[in-house]
Amino acid sequence: MSLDFHPTKNDLICSCDSDGEIRYWSINNGSCASVFKGGMAQLRFQPRLGKFLAAAAENVVSILDVETKSLRHSLQGHTKPIHSVCWDPSGEFLASVSEDSVRVWTFGSGSEGECIHDLSCNGNKYHCCVFHPTYSSSLLVIGSYQSLELWNMVENKTMALTAHEGLIAALAVSTTTGLIASASHDKFVKLWK
């Protein structure tokens, strides 16, 4: 269902399946290093440090310690299943997306796992998100059916842009170029500046 490379351990890639099993894989020898429960929709390693693994299952995001595989935080608040999780480039903020809401959690000093921003859907079902490459501390880009929604978290204001003719299934961001890519069920990939 999802996979991610560890940001600092060159030999580690992680995957999750629809049965909720998370697997650590050794890239060097191609073998499964460990199996444990915790994620079935999407998982992402914390950027830069790689201390945490965020794994979404149903309406909860589990924050797992990468080394011990122990549950550090259970992020609750979504009422619908979570489709997507993403970290900001610093690894201090995590966003989680369900069809009816987006929540942003902090992992900065002193307040791990606290929900600091919450956006409810105003009709168009949400599906994925990325932090803006230039304004990652204040702007989240959310993919939904046919549109991208820009959410200024500081001012709690949104702006919708018509982007595709189908569901925006995935978003990617390049902090190097400042581009955002959107992929849709309309069979197009578009780049945004």
Side-chain angles (χ1 to χ4, degrees):
M1 300 299 291
S2 181
L3 61 140
D4 199 16
F5 288 98
H6 192 276
T8 61
K9 297 175 187 278
N10 296 336
D11 186 40
L12 179 60
I13 190 168
C14 187
S15 67
C16 70
D17 64 23
S18 60
D19 293 326
E21 284 189 344
I22 295 174
R23 294 178 187 267
Y24 281 3
W25 299 91
S26 166
I27 295 169
N28 293 338
N29 64 27
S31 66
C32 179
S34 63
V35 180
F36 53 100
K37 289 285 191 183
M40 60 194 323
Q42 191 174 40
L43 52 78
R44 290 290 178 258
F45 283 112
Q46 181 185 32
R48 291 183 36 231
L49 303 173
K51 180 180 174 183
F52 297 126
L53 175 68
E58 301 298 330
N59 62 344
V60 175
V61 179
S62 297
I63 303 298
L64 305 163
D65 182 289
V66 169
E67 294 297 323
T68 66
K69 299 171 206 70
S70 62
L71 180 66
R72 291 290 302 268
H73 301 282
S74 181
L75 308 180
Q76 299 181 26
H78 286 280
T79 56
K80 304 263 182 157
I82 297 166
H83 297 297
S84 178
V85 292
C86 69
W87 291 94
D88 80 310
S90 72
E92 292 185 19
F93 301 101
L94 175 77
S96 54
V97 178
S98 64
E99 70 178 44
D100 65 343
S101 68
V102 179
R103 297 175 76 82
V104 177
W105 314 84
T106 183
F107 287 88
S109 57
S111 55
E112 280 187 5
E114 178 185 337
C115 181
I116 57 169
H117 300 291
D118 185 10
L119 177 68
S120 294
C121 181
N122 58 2
N124 202 354
K125 295 179 180 178
Y126 297 142
H127 191 75
C128 53
C129 71
V130 291
F131 284 88
H132 190 278
T134 309
Y135 307 104
S136 62
S137 63
S138 62
L139 194 61
L140 194 68
V141 180
I142 306 163
S144 59
Y145 182 73
Q146 296 184 333
S147 67
L148 288 173
E149 198 159 318
L150 304 176
W151 177 28
N152 181 324
M153 296 173 285
V154 175
E155 297 178 11
N156 199 27
K157 293 183 179 175
T158 61
M159 179 177 78
L161 303 170
T162 302
H164 286 274
E165 293 183 18
L167 176 70
I168 297 172
L171 293 169
V173 65
S174 170
T175 53
T176 306
T177 64
L179 293 174
I180 295 172
S182 59
S184 171
H185 289 184
D186 66 7
K187 300 180 183 172
F188 281 93
V189 172
K190 295 185 178 182
L191 299 176
W192 306 87
K193 187 97 174 131

